[in-house]
Amino acid sequence: AGQPKEALPDPGDPGLQSSMACAATDTPIECHPAVHAEFTGAMRVSIFAALCTLFAYVYIHVAAPSSLIEHLMVSFDITAAEAGVLSGCFLYAYGALQIPTGALMDWHGAYIVSGVGAIIAAGGTIMFATSPSIHVAYVGRLLVGMGSTPSWIASVQVTAALFPKHRASTSGVVVACGMAGA
């Protein structure tokens, strides 16, 4: 009863918020402000531009089948229903992997997971573009969806770490880039 009470930390303190997020995720890169402090302005903008490009790439793949539908139906000799399944393969993988991808980003960090995702998406794009049959095209679209899954969450997580005072505006720019891809 006679011991002094410790002062409660200020919940608005950015250092406290960063350490609280780090305690929850324990990711190596995103949780060390010193790492981001060493990034020059040009490096921050380059990383931001890469993430914006990745998110635009995702929306290009969301919208592309609608403009290619007739060509796909003729090339693969498929019905409209099969073309719809082909178009949906991206979203099936993208939606199904949201939660597992979030867990992967907590364990391995946004930089690694989004980088691996971009490589998987690029491989799926090549597979889809060069597919000799509808079945290979299905697999290509699934791979593109799988690889695209971390794009939004990684963009928000990394830009919040790179530009902590401008989280809302940088997230808005990422969304605008995605919609430009559509």
Side-chain angles (χ1 to χ4, degrees), residues 51 54 105 109-122 147 150-151 154:
L51 290 168
L54 178 62
M105 287 188 3
Y111 291 114
I112 292 171
V113 176
S114 63
V116 170
I119 292 167
I120 291 170
S151 62

Side-chain angles (χ1 to χ4, degrees), residues 22-45:
C22 293
T25 61
D26 200 28
T27 52
I29 300 294
E30 289 81 6
C31 287
H32 295 290
V35 171
H36 291 112
E38 293 177 9
F39 288 171
T40 64
M43 290 172 70
R44 291 171 188 259
V45 170

Side-chain angles (χ1 to χ4, degrees), residues 10-181:
D10 177 16
D13 178 24
L16 176 65
Q17 291 175 350
S18 175
S19 64
M20 288 169 45
C22 293
T25 61
D26 200 28
T27 52
I29 300 294
E30 289 81 6
C31 287
H32 295 290
V35 171
H36 291 112
E38 293 177 9
F39 288 171
T40 64
M43 290 172 70
R44 291 171 188 259
V45 170
S46 296
I47 292 168
F48 181 68
L51 290 168
C52 287
T53 303
L54 178 62
F55 200 57
Y57 175 79
V58 168
Y59 274 88
I60 288 169
H61 278 283
V62 169
S66 63
S67 61
L68 299 172
I69 200 76
E70 290 176 10
H71 177 71
L72 292 171
M73 289 173 65
V74 171
S75 295
F76 293 123
D77 191 29
I78 57 175
T79 65
E82 291 170 313
V85 171
L86 178 62
S87 180
C89 281
F90 173 91
L91 294 172
Y92 302 150
Y94 187 84
L97 293 175
Q98 287 294 315
I99 292 174
T101 300
L104 282 172
M105 287 188 3
D106 286 346
W107 292 327
H108 300 292
Y111 291 114
I112 292 171
V113 176
S114 63
V116 170
I119 292 167
I120 291 170
T125 301
I126 292 167
M127 182 181 280
F128 178 68
T130 60
S131 59
S133 70
I134 188 66
H135 302 294
V136 175
Y138 285 150
V139 173
R141 288 286 292 165
L142 285 168
L143 287 173
V144 173
M146 287 172 58
S148 298
T149 303
S151 62
W152 169 245
I153 299 301
S155 297
V156 171
Q157 187 176 13
V158 171
T159 56
L162 291 174
F163 308 102
K165 293 181 181 179
H166 305 286
R167 291 179 191 187
S169 58
T170 54
S171 295
V173 171
V174 172
V175 169
C177 289
M179 296 306 112

